[in-house]
Amino acid sequence: MTNTEPKAPDTETDELQRLGEQLLRTAKSSRARAAVQALVEERTILAVPAVRRALVTDTLDGAQAHFEALSGRQYGLGLDEGQRAFLHLVLPMVGIGITTLASVQDLDDHRLPIMLRAILRLTGNNDIAVGRHL
């Protein structure tokens, strides 16, 4: 017997998707857009309420990412090591902090391709694909 009842919508996922779209719309630079896109793709960091409280600022144009406020609180956000490593690589995209490129060794198989795509976005390169090589 198959279950044909419609699946209940995941309101948290929908809310995060709308927030991500809004933050992308209000990003003031290509660097901010690349950083926001990386956080949107990574998903788990934006899902943390403390991150949203620190990052999101209400403006006349709607919600906007305020990375400076996030950087000062990054150790008190309750992130795990993988999330923190990813955030440490995202923040320099918008000119906050200095993180060595060797930090990519702390990224897992989910976060590494996201970071690679973010770096390509920073360069304006849309020709190189990032994915698994078999």
Side-chain angles (χ1 to χ4, degrees):
M1 186 167 150
T2 61
N3 185 355
T4 59
E5 290 188 33
K7 188 176 178 181
D10 187 348
T11 56
E12 183 178 350
T13 300
D14 293 344
E15 177 185 330
L16 288 175
Q17 183 174 346
R18 283 191 298 277
L19 175 62
E21 290 168 359
Q22 173 63 27
L23 295 176
L24 285 169
R25 263 194 307 279
T26 57
K28 299 283 186 197
S29 68
S30 59
R31 295 170 66 164
R33 214 171 353 274
V36 167
Q37 183 65 43
L39 289 176
V40 168
E41 286 182 37
E42 192 276 344
R43 292 186 306 259
T44 69
I45 295 172
L46 272 181
V48 176
V51 169
R52 290 194 306 274
R53 282 192 301 275
L55 176 66
V56 179
T57 302
D58 288 325
T59 68
L60 294 175
D61 296 328
Q64 184 176 359
H66 185 65
F67 286 97
E68 293 80 6
L70 181 63
S71 73
R73 299 181 191 159
Q74 57 188 313
Y75 290 100
L77 298 171
L79 301 178
D80 65 31
E81 287 183 37
Q83 291 169 319
R84 203 170 23 259
F86 187 83
L87 186 58
H88 286 159
L89 286 162
V90 168
L91 289 174
M93 291 180 179
V94 292
I96 297 171
I98 298 171
T99 301
T100 64
L101 193 53
S103 297
V104 298
Q105 69 187 359
D106 298 327
L107 300 180
D108 59 19
D109 288 348
H110 170 72
R111 292 182 178 109
L112 180 58
I114 294 169
M115 185 54 57
L116 293 173
R117 286 190 296 272
I119 291 169
L120 290 171
R121 278 187 207 97
L122 282 174
T123 68
N125 186 324
N126 295 320
D127 298 330
I128 299 174
V130 174
R132 279 204 186 272
H133 180 69
L134 300 176

